[in-house]
Amino acid sequence: MKSQINIIRQLQELVLTRDEHHQTGDGSHLDKLNDAIDELQRKLEPQVLGLYGRLYKKSHIVLASMSNGCCSVCGMQVPIAQSQQVRLAQHLVTCSSCGRILFADDADAARNVAEKSDRDEVKTGISRFSAEELMVVNLDNSSREAAIAQLAKAMEANHFISNADSLVAAAMDREAVLSTAMDDVAFPHVRGVEGGGLTLALGISKEGVDWGGETVHLVFLSAIPVAVSAFYLRLMAGLSQVFSKKENRDAALAASDGPTLWKTLVKATRHTVK
């Protein structure tokens, strides 16, 4: 059954990628994504496909990792006997609360490790998801992987996530599905980074980074818990709206250090990111 769960994981990522493309893309890749989704669905066993279809009608997030003994989407504690079944993966196990299919959390996957006290402060706007320490000027422009790695290491060094290398690998896997570059900005991201809230880092490169054939100067890296995938679409749409304006991109690129870039980001997003 592990192979079926892996197919559903790939399928869910493709579906959420298609949702992103609906939200912010030009529609040019929809046929490619739909074909890939159809191909994966054909690999599901009839009973599994039936369950997937029923869950999909309720939510595009049909699968949830079991993180610290809880469903990562609804937070319900998984009974000990059931959690063992999830780890064995001999058959599909669903959450008794939200009904989603559960799978065992990857031991070496990146996790949100920010201290609760950091997250419990009353914050507004972009401060809910990012911080001055996650602003990177002079982004490594040797490759998109190097740029992503620099941002991931900033997250790890400032105790927002664990395992930057795992985050980079997952982000590059996502880029292989469909580039996240849009005009002058790229939005690499990884879903399933559980243990806390959404985390966002921003890097700028005055020279530009080759992003699979496109040159980008601003890179937003996001670590996303599965439960907030739908919210991430709205956040990305808001950031796209703000930085589609040349004056906002120019202001960000003019920043000479992290504190200045942070102030620029907060000011630019004050009306679009709530």
Side-chain angles (χ1 to χ4, degrees), residues 128-145:
R128 295 165 56 199
F129 320 110
S130 192
E132 184 178 302
E133 309 93 88
L134 300 182
M135 302 294 103
V136 177
V137 296
N138 300 321
L139 194 62
D140 189 333
N141 67 349
S142 60
S143 68
R144 59 179 168 179
E145 184 171 2

Side-chain angles (χ1 to χ4, degrees), residues 28-40:
S28 60
H29 295 281
L30 285 177
D31 287 343
K32 174 186 173 183
L33 288 168
N34 286 329
D35 288 345
I37 288 168
D38 290 343
E39 181 180 351
L40 280 175

